[in-house]
Amino acid sequence: MGENIILDISRLCVEFDTEAGRVRAVDGVGFQLKKGKTLGIAGESGCGKTITALSIIRLLPRPVSRIVQGRVLFQGRDLLALSKQEMQQIRGRKIAMIFQEPMTALNPVHSIAKQMVEIHQIHFPGLSRTKMADASVELLEKAGISDPGIVMKKYPHQLSGGMRQRVMIAMALACRPDILIADEPTTALDVTVQAEILDLIQTLKEESGMSVVLITHDLGVIAENCDDVAVMYAGKIVESAGVHDLFQYPRHPYTKGLLASIPSRAPRPKTMLPTISGQVPSLTDMPEGCRFQSRCPLCADICKSIDPDERIMGQNHGVRCHMADEQGR
């Protein structure tokens, strides 16, 4: 693993037991996260973004799911090979996560103070109760909460969505982690609060030098906040590149479809927005060959029988497509 790479994931496969049988929700996912950089993972709902993130910190639901293959190297150590006790020293302290929905991630029957202090009790048991409370107030203030002392006494349901998200950010940063995983950190927030939360994460990243994995379905968020991007579809990464390269020269038909569907100033009023036809295939009935074949305008015979391997085009621009455009758009 290169000196500049802090997280290196390869051939990650995650399976679930369902009533319809065993399904593979994440199939051969691999990517690298650079120190001090932000990697965006984009894709529509159900493509495997969150499952990939939960696999990194080993928080998959048990016993219905399992990692059946792959490596997750953090600073050279394979997290999948660590014991539960060793993983507890990594999770939260070295790799922290902002979960998708703060209302369900926060415990509704405990005050913010109790939940903030609990983090310090787990990772810094030598601190006094007073120092734990003071550190919690300082974190809330750093997360942009103007009255942290008052917020500490409140319960999650007494806070707005934006305030709850700021509390989640403060909790995630309590141990000054090396990696922050932000899973849809602006879900259900209005546009103004979304911008504030994303700006806050960016500011805290620059101040601490941590690396960020930003999971979202919003390519606009990816464009403004990420250095690199991986596009997922049906459990696989279909394209990965530097953010500028991917937006300027998208090579996978799925990526092109996502970019084309972003609203913009149309040359004519009331122009119909382009869409991607068809539906994502079911995990219980994946087609042979390329998983995007039924929705792809470039589908050929080879796409229906052979699953494409990753091809490297340009500078570190990977794409899984038999018909990928060498020049982008």
Side-chain angles (χ1 to χ4, degrees):
M1 188 164 63
E3 294 183 0
N4 195 40
I5 304 299
I6 190 170
L7 184 69
D8 188 355
I9 298 176
S10 59
R11 302 185 304 279
L12 181 66
C13 297
V14 181
E15 293 183 348
F16 281 79
D17 292 326
T18 70
E19 294 181 356
R22 184 170 295 180
V23 298
R24 183 164 288 190
V26 173
D27 191 3
V29 163
F31 57 80
Q32 293 181 328
L33 175 64
K34 301 172 185 174
K35 291 181 180 179
K37 302 295 184 180
T38 299
L39 168 70
I41 301 180
E44 54 198 297
S45 298
C47 69
K49 304 186 301 294
T50 297
I51 297 301
T52 299
L54 293 176
S55 300
I56 295 172
I57 56 176
R58 286 172 53 181
L59 279 183
L60 290 170
R62 297 290 185 179
V64 297
S65 65
R66 66 193 58 81
I67 298 173
V68 296
Q69 181 181 316
R71 293 193 311 171
V72 178
L73 297 180
F74 168 64
Q75 295 179 335
R77 301 176 68 190
D78 188 357
L79 300 184
L80 303 184
L82 300 184
S83 66
K84 289 184 179 180
Q85 291 73 23
E86 289 174 323
M87 193 62 208
Q88 286 174 354
Q89 297 302 312
I90 299 290
R91 188 189 303 120
R93 188 162 191 170
K94 296 293 185 181
I95 305 177
M97 184 168 178
I98 302 172
F99 295 93
Q100 186 167 355
E101 178 45 65
M103 193 60 207
T104 56
L106 292 171
N107 193 321
V109 301
H110 293 308
S111 67
I112 299 303
K114 181 175 178 60
Q115 298 183 63
M116 290 290 298
V117 168
E118 183 182 23
I119 299 172
H120 295 88
Q121 289 175 332
I122 293 172
H123 295 290
F124 307 105
L127 290 178
S128 67
R129 184 85 181 187
T130 300
K131 288 185 177 180
M132 290 181 185
D134 291 343
S136 299
V137 169
E138 184 179 343
L139 284 165
L140 291 175
E141 188 173 16
K142 194 172 185 179
I145 294 178
S146 57
D147 298 309
I150 295 175
V151 171
M152 285 276 282
K153 301 176 183 178
K154 293 189 175 183
Y155 289 80
H157 71 275
Q158 296 176 302
L159 303 178
S160 67
M163 291 282 277
R164 289 195 295 267
Q165 195 63 283
R166 291 178 190 274
V167 170
M168 287 293 299
I169 292 173
M171 293 174 69
L173 296 176
C175 300
R176 298 183 179 180
D178 296 310
I179 297 175
L180 175 66
I181 301 173
D183 186 7
E184 299 278 9
T186 58
T187 297
L189 302 179
D190 62 60
V191 175
T192 303
V193 178
Q194 284 184 26
E196 292 176 353
I197 294 298
L198 291 170
D199 286 343
L200 174 61
I201 293 174
Q202 183 67 20
T203 299
L204 295 174
K205 179 196 114 175
E206 292 173 354
E207 290 177 353
S208 65
M210 67 181 176
S211 305
V212 177
V213 177
L214 178 60
I215 298 172
T216 181
H217 62 273
D218 189 335
L219 288 176
V221 169
I222 293 283
E224 294 180 4
N225 296 276
C226 297
D227 301 291
D228 300 290
V229 56
V231 179
M232 287 192 71
Y233 181 81
K236 288 179 176 287
I237 291 180
V238 295
E239 187 165 8
S240 59
V243 66
H244 297 296
D245 191 21
L246 184 130
F247 276 78
Q248 188 170 5
Y249 302 111
R251 289 175 167 86
H252 197 284
Y254 178 61
T255 307
K256 292 181 180 181
L258 290 178
L259 292 173
S261 64
I262 297 176
S264 60
R265 294 180 179 179
R268 293 173 297 175
K270 299 182 179 180
T271 301
M272 292 293 293
L273 196 65
T275 60
I276 301 175
S277 62
Q279 299 291 329
V280 180
S282 170
L283 290 176
T284 60
D285 188 27
M286 283 291 175
E288 292 185 22
C290 178
R291 297 183 175 185
F292 190 60
Q293 58 174 276
S294 63
R295 309 177 70 187
C296 181
L298 304 178
C299 181
D301 290 340
I302 190 175
C303 305
K304 298 178 181 180
S305 57
I306 300 177
D307 189 17
D309 293 326
E310 183 181 47
R311 300 160 57 193
I312 302 300
M313 299 180 172
Q315 186 175 3
N316 298 322
H317 193 141
V319 58
R320 289 181 177 271
C321 179
H322 295 297
M323 312 302 292
D325 186 348
E326 292 284 350
Q327 303 300 323
R329 47 169 153 177

